[in-house]
Amino acid sequence: MGTATTKLHKRVDIRRNDTVKVMTGRDRGKEGRVLRVLPDEGRVLVEHVMTVKKHVRPNPQRNIKGGIAEQERAIPLSNVALVCGTCGPVRIGHEVQGERKVRVCKKCGATLDK
Ligand SMILES: [Zn+2]
């Protein structure tokens, strides 16, 4: 066995279906739903954010129509902030409620988990 390097596991506080606001970059100011979180890359895929137009070839076998499709590209997690329903984009805090640990808004203290 070689020397095992402990990978610093960065905790990601953004989850799928969260609403986030883009704080920096080309699409700054846009809000969208999180489609996918890529923790290893430190990136997140947000609906309608960082879209690129892609030409799609028709493929009748797979029922794909040709044309131009929009596709999102992942953006760095540090570029987005979770949106609190009351305060807007906020920093995330943590709180233990009974058995579970939930994410809370650092401003108003509201629970951000459903
Ligand atoms: Zn709040």
Side-chain angles (χ1 to χ4, degrees):
M1 285 275 270
T3 0
T5 352
T6 320
K7 241 195 186 171
L8 249 176
H9 216 87
K10 233 180 140 189
R11 212 185 44 217
V12 177
D13 275 326
I14 305 285
R15 289 174 208 160
R16 232 183 94 188
N17 288 327
D18 278 348
T19 303
V20 293
K21 187 162 187 160
V22 183
M23 304 310 283
T24 172
R26 193 194 79 178
D27 282 343
R28 185 162 52 141
K30 272 195 190 176
E31 263 181 39
R33 192 167 56 92
V34 174
L35 300 173
R36 235 174 114 190
V37 182
L38 312 159
D40 293 338
E41 294 169 45
R43 285 173 178 266
V44 65
L45 209 63
V46 187
E47 198 175 34
H48 304 313
V49 167
M50 254 330 255
T51 46
V52 281
K53 289 206 164 64
K54 246 185 111 177
H55 292 265
V56 182
R57 261 176 218 226
N59 186 340
Q61 263 132 46
R62 288 167 64 194
N63 201 22
I64 294 170
K65 277 187 210 150
I68 297 168
E70 289 219 323
Q71 200 182 45
E72 287 90 359
R73 286 175 77 179
I75 57 170
L77 269 162
S78 54
N79 286 10
V80 301
L82 191 62
V83 173
C84 163
T86 331
C87 318
V90 287
R91 302 238 321 253
I92 305 165
H94 296 94
E95 212 178 88
V96 179
Q97 288 183 356
E99 297 270 293
R100 57 188 213 133
K101 200 171 175 190
V102 294
R103 296 174 300 166
V104 294
C105 167
K106 276 224 167 171
K107 253 190 200 162
C108 69
T111 308
L112 298 170
D113 287 319
K114 282 124 217 162

